[in-house]
């Protein structure tokens, strides 16, 4: 039986939380309710304890005699955290890492997917601060089911009404299912640029931020996979739960990929690996007056092309990316064949607003049969879902 935590906060729509609880129970889900202290002033926690059959958690230091740290041990037991209804206050706390009650502290401890259903007055919902908080949480991987327009507690018509309980249950169940779809699989993702040193202070590199690869790693984790993230230098926080292996040069990345590939069922090379490096690496900083007028470059190892594929193609799913500036589909198709990939995800890195260092991208996904699927321009998070859906399809076929 799957267990979820239902976070309940002090919106007037709090009474709908009982229906949400019941709806999940009918689908065979075990529920632990957590209320904020303000929510407990609107409805007694005893009601939720009676409905769920478990003592509702409200107070962070409630059980003084227990040797368990309640919010940590519960975080390890659950497969999903649903916060419905969610007030502007809890959303602001979650977005800023404030942990001053059971629910907000618990949020920082969970590793499972989180679904938030806001409910509040229209002005509060539309406030730029609330919108910024929602965007910040979405960027961190929190799922939202946004409020509807309707009759509000303030006796006005407007945006901010909690969506129907059935919709929250439906989306929660879908997340529960997705959270298992890559269970027992290991996904190796490469991300970011490589740096090819000229001397101790200078290097050749590219504009990759790592955002695409980190989004893929996050999506694989949300689907229950073990994730190994081999990353060139970036300023990003690795997704929680990923095994991070930081590297600097193309040679470092090649070594780590080869060392770890045997543990993986899937390899996704989203990294922008340098194709060439300076032939010489000076041990000392090159003096301005002695600077060479030209650089001698030598090719780096092509990691994807050099992987062992016993019997022609690997049993593993191997996916490459293609960074192109012209003839995107034709060039990417050639790379797919030459590097013996199952799938290639091509992007036009000459276009403004997508590709390198953007939160958005637009990709063309090409498979071995030559089928081409073009995506709309979307966040890297949404595109990582598309890619991971294809990974699941390919894994199914390689069984
Ligand atoms: O990091 P972001 O800012 O989010 O930007 C994302 C991205 C633009 C870097 C990403 O979407 C992308 O296109 N990654 C691949 C970049 C690249 O190196 O493309 P390529 O066409 O040069 O290489 C084709 C494939 O071979 C890639 O999977 C690459 O990882 C791999 N390769 C390249 C060189 C090399 N020596 N060894 C390799 O295995």
């Amino acid at each position: 039986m799957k267990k979820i935590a239902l976070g309940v906060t002090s919106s007037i729509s709090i009474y709908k939380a009982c229906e949400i609880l019941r709806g999940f129970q009918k689908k065979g889900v075990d529920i632990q309710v957590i209320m904020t202290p303000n929510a407990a002033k609107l409805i007694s926690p005893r009601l939720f304890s009676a409905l769920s059959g478990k003592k509702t958690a409200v107070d962070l230091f409630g059980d003084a005699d227990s040797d368990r740290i309640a919010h940590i041990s519960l975080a390890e037991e659950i497969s999903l955290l649903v916060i419905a209804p969610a007030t502007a206050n809890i959303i602001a706390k979650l977005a800023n890492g404030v942990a001053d009650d059971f629910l907000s502290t618990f949020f920082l401890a969970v590793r499972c997917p989180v679904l938030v259903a806001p409910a509040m007055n229209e002005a509060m919902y539309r406030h730029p601060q609330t919108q910024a908080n929602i965007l910040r949480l979405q960027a961190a991987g929190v799922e939202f089911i946004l409020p509807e327009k309707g009759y509000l507690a303030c006796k006005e018509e407007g945006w901010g009404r909690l969506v129907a309980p059935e919709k929250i249950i439906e989306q929660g169940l879908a997340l529960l299912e997705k959270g298992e779809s890559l269970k027992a699989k290991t996904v190796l993702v490469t991300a970011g640029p490589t740096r090819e040193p000229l001397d101790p202070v200078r290097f050749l590199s590219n504009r990759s931020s790592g955002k695409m690869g980190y989004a893929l790693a996050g999506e694989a984790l949300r689907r229950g996979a073990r994730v190994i993230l081999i990353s060139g230098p970036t300023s990003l926080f690795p997704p929680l739960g990923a095994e991070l292996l930081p590297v600097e040069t193309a040679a470092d990345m090649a070594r780590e990929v080869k060392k770890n590939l045997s543990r993986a069922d899937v390899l996704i090379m989203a990294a922008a690996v340098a194709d060439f490096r300076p032939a010489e690496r000076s041990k000392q900083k090159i003096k301005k007056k002695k600077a060479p007028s030209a650089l001698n470059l030598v090719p780096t190892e092509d990691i994807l092309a050099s992987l062992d594929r016993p019997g022609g193609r690997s049993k593993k799913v191997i996916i490459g990316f293609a960074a192109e500036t012209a003839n995107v589909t034709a060039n990417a198709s050639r790379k797919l064949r030459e590097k013996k990939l199952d799938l290639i995800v091509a992007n036009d890195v000459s276009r403004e607003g997508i590709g390198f260092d953007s939160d958005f991208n637009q990709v063309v996904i090409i498979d071995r049969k030559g089928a081409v699927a073009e995506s709309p321009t979307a966040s890297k998070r949404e595109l990582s879902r598309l890619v991971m859906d294809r990974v699941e399809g390919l894994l199914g076929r390689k069984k």
Side-chain angles (χ1 to χ4, degrees):
M1 196 187 219
K2 282 187 189 155
K3 184 168 180 178
I4 73 169
L6 176 63
V8 178
T9 72
S10 61
S11 154
I12 298 298
S13 58
I14 189 169
Y15 61 94
K16 293 188 188 167
C18 302
E19 264 182 76
I20 296 168
L21 187 159
R22 282 295 210 207
F24 276 119
Q25 279 177 331
K26 280 187 196 149
K27 296 289 178 184
V29 177
D30 188 21
I31 304 231
Q32 169 68 56
V33 179
I34 302 166
M35 293 177 89
T36 58
N38 281 340
K41 288 180 193 162
L42 287 178
I43 291 191
S44 166
R46 287 197 193 98
L47 175 65
F48 287 104
S49 303
L51 289 173
S52 67
K54 281 185 199 64
K55 190 173 175 214
T56 301
V58 181
D59 186 354
L60 195 52
F61 304 104
D63 194 352
D65 297 331
S66 172
D67 55 357
R68 294 165 77 227
I69 304 173
H71 61 282
I72 303 291
S73 46
L74 181 61
E76 280 157 16
E77 289 166 20
I78 58 155
S79 309
L80 176 70
L81 165 62
V82 178
I83 305 182
T87 57
N89 183 46
I90 192 75
I91 291 169
K93 281 199 214 173
L94 304 186
N96 291 286
V98 175
D100 64 351
D101 57 24
F102 195 111
L103 183 57
S104 52
T105 309
F106 181 67
F107 168 76
L108 291 181
V110 299
R111 286 169 183 235
C112 62
V114 180
L115 174 64
V116 176
M120 65 197 76
N121 157 275
E122 173 162 340
M124 292 170 78
Y125 176 57
R126 284 185 183 270
H127 196 286
Q129 194 57 62
T130 304
Q131 291 300 314
N133 289 335
I134 292 175
L135 282 178
R136 193 166 187 189
L137 286 167
Q138 282 175 325
V142 173
E143 299 280 344
F144 273 79
I145 181 156
L146 294 174
E148 293 171 343
K149 194 172 182 183
Y151 192 65
L152 301 173
C154 51
K155 301 187 176 51
E156 280 172 19
E157 187 82 16
W159 290 97
R161 195 173 70 168
L162 186 72
V163 293
E166 308 83 70
K167 284 195 187 166
I168 297 170
I169 294 156
E170 192 188 340
Q171 193 159 329
L173 292 173
L175 279 173
L176 269 182
E177 203 175 302
K178 268 255 167 300
E180 307 256 294
S181 56
L182 285 175
K183 208 171 174 181
K185 297 290 178 200
T186 300
V187 178
L188 196 170
V189 181
T190 68
T194 63
R195 286 180 179 170
E196 310 304 324
L198 271 166
D199 68 13
V201 294
R202 304 178 182 97
F203 52 81
L204 296 181
S205 190
N206 58 62
R207 293 171 48 219
S208 170
S209 63
K211 287 178 182 172
M212 191 68 242
Y214 279 53
L216 288 159
E219 184 58 24
L221 282 164
R222 276 189 288 281
R223 295 179 185 216
R226 270 190 302 272
V227 172
I228 306 166
L229 177 59
I230 301 177
S231 175
T234 77
S235 55
L236 304 174
F237 266 129
L240 200 65
E243 180 187 343
L244 179 73
L245 302 172
V247 296
E248 184 160 337
T249 63
D252 295 340
M253 189 167 278
R255 191 187 58 244
E256 286 302 330
V257 169
K258 287 176 190 173
K259 199 159 105 190
N260 290 284
L261 190 60
S262 59
R263 293 200 278 150
D265 302 284
V266 179
L267 167 65
I268 307 179
M269 287 283 300
V273 188
D275 290 317
F276 39 78
R277 63 174 174 81
E280 309 277 318
R281 175 181 181 168
S282 168
K283 281 206 173 92
Q284 306 299 331
K285 182 180 172 191
I286 300 167
K287 292 286 174 210
K288 212 181 340 182
K289 285 192 183 132
K290 291 196 178 155
S293 57
L295 281 179
N296 264 335
L297 300 175
V298 291
T300 57
E301 182 181 14
D302 188 318
I303 304 173
L304 276 174
S306 67
L307 296 177
D308 274 347
R309 289 177 179 78
R313 281 185 57 222
S314 164
K315 277 225 146 210
K316 301 173 193 298
V317 170
I318 300 193
I319 297 182
F321 268 68
E324 304 297 339
T325 53
N327 304 322
V328 175
T329 306
N331 287 341
S333 302
R334 183 179 43 76
K335 286 180 184 169
L336 172 99
R337 285 192 302 277
E338 286 174 0
K339 299 186 189 226
K340 298 195 188 85
L341 307 174
D342 293 295
L343 208 67
I344 196 153
V345 183
N347 39 197
D348 184 341
V349 288
S350 66
R351 279 179 50 194
E352 280 287 312
I354 62 161
F356 283 124
D357 202 18
S358 168
D359 290 324
F360 298 90
N361 211 350
Q362 192 270 315
V363 299
V364 176
I365 303 179
I366 308 165
D367 71 12
R368 290 187 61 80
K369 290 189 180 141
V372 177
E374 213 166 307
S375 83
T377 299
S379 68
K380 286 182 175 169
R381 170 111 201 268
E382 285 168 87
L383 293 172
S384 67
R385 287 192 193 130
L386 280 187
V387 174
M388 239 20 106
D389 285 346
R390 299 293 292 261
V391 166
E392 287 182 16
L394 286 163
L395 278 170
R397 257 170 265 150
K398 291 217 175 194
K399 262 183 198 161

